Structures are given as structure tokens and as C-alpha cells.
Amino acid sequence: MTQRAKRQGSGNQLRSIPLSVMAEQGVAMVYDTVHMVLAQGDMALAVSEGTFGDAPTSYYDLWRVEDGKIAGRYAAFLDVHKEGGVLYLELGVGGNTPVIVKYPFWRMTHANPDATYACVNYGEAFTAREIVDRSILVDGDIDTVLDELLEVRHDWEAQA
């Protein structure tokens, strides 16, 4: 599998550039800290921070896992899960990058009547009017929200 990074192309079109080409140009994706890895079934989400070039960057990498090994990335996952009960969970996408996560999630939720869109974002939790009835919006800090969800889960498990 060739690892690629998405970069802005001409207009609204995205193109893939191999990381090796970016490295040759002096642009590196550096992962300094892995804050959390959440896994369920055959999916794993890694929440990390580092730099992209010289810019501080948060990374949210979604991986498909098969036989204990990384088998694919986000795009392949989306192709497989276009239909049926899908939760498109957006965690902290800022106003600079909505074309990568937010808008595609809105389009896929709109196209799939069984899908739900959820957004956790401090000060920027909003959705498209066409999917408002299938949206969950949480205006809050991601770390705080996830901690509260884990507390609720532990309380629920203790009562079960």
C-alpha cells in the first residue's frame, strides 16, 4: 500500500501526492505524540499531533484492520460503507478543511437515508439543513466530550 497525503489541487479538485514526493520537496508529515487509539471491530482511529511541513497539525487517521494488521485507509472504508446504518463522526474539523471531512460526510449522509451525521466541535458544531433531522451536534471540547462519554459508558457497564 502506498501511503499518500491529500493536498489542495487547482480549484476544488483534490489530488493525491505520494509522501515520498513531498519529502523530496522538504515537506514532511511528522507525528510527535499519539494521544489515543480507539478501535472497534475492524476499524482503528489514531488521534495524534505533530507537524505538516512547519505547521503544527492534528492528525485523525482512520485505519481498517484485518488479521491484526493495517489493511486499508479511510477512502477504502468509505467506499465499502456507502449504504446501511452508518454514523459519520466528525471530530473537530475546522473551517480551513471542510472539503476533506465535513462536506463529504454531509453528502454521504444525504445520499444514504439510513446514515447519521455527528459533529463534536467547540464553537463549530453545525450541519446542512438537508440532514438536520439525521444530525447529532455537540458543541464542546473533544477531550472533555470523550471523557464524559467514557464515564457514562463505565457507569452503564457497572449497572448492567
Side-chain angles (χ1 to χ4, degrees):
M1 175 172 62
T2 302
Q3 191 173 13
R4 299 183 178 276
K6 294 289 187 184
R7 294 292 306 259
Q8 186 69 32
S10 59
N12 290 328
Q13 189 176 29
L14 289 175
R15 58 190 169 102
S16 288
I17 300 174
L19 291 176
S20 59
V21 172
M22 291 174 23
E24 289 171 6
Q25 297 173 358
V27 178
M29 290 177 65
V30 178
Y31 288 75
D32 294 323
T33 305
V34 175
H35 291 286
M36 162 182 7
V37 176
L38 300 171
Q40 182 172 352
D42 63 351
M43 298 303 300
L45 172 70
V47 179
S48 312
E49 70 178 279
T51 55
F52 183 80
D54 294 329
T57 303
S58 296
Y59 295 107
Y60 298 88
D61 292 315
L62 185 60
W63 300 92
R64 187 172 56 83
V65 178
E66 189 174 292
D67 296 325
K69 297 177 184 175
I70 293 173
R73 287 199 72 174
Y74 175 70
F77 170 79
L78 292 178
D79 286 341
V80 171
H81 296 88
K82 289 180 183 176
E83 298 174 354
V86 178
L87 171 65
Y88 293 104
L89 176 60
E90 173 195 318
L91 298 173
V93 173
N96 293 331
T97 57
V99 296
I100 296 172
V101 176
K102 183 181 292 292
Y103 299 159
F105 277 14
W106 288 359
R107 281 192 300 275
M108 290 182 287
T109 302
H110 186 259
N112 178 356
D114 296 323
T116 300
Y117 166 75
C119 174
V120 179
N121 199 329
Y122 185 70
E124 294 187 47
F126 58 92
T127 190
R129 73 174 152 252
E130 294 86 359
I131 60 167
V132 71
D133 62 327
R134 293 183 287 132
S135 297
I136 301 166
L137 306 174
V138 180
D139 185 352
D141 178 76
I142 295 169
D143 188 47
T144 303
V145 170
L146 291 177
D147 283 345
E148 290 173 2
L149 286 172
L150 286 173
E151 281 183 38
V152 169
R153 178 181 175 197
H154 292 303
D155 291 346
W156 181 78
E157 288 175 344
Q159 294 175 3

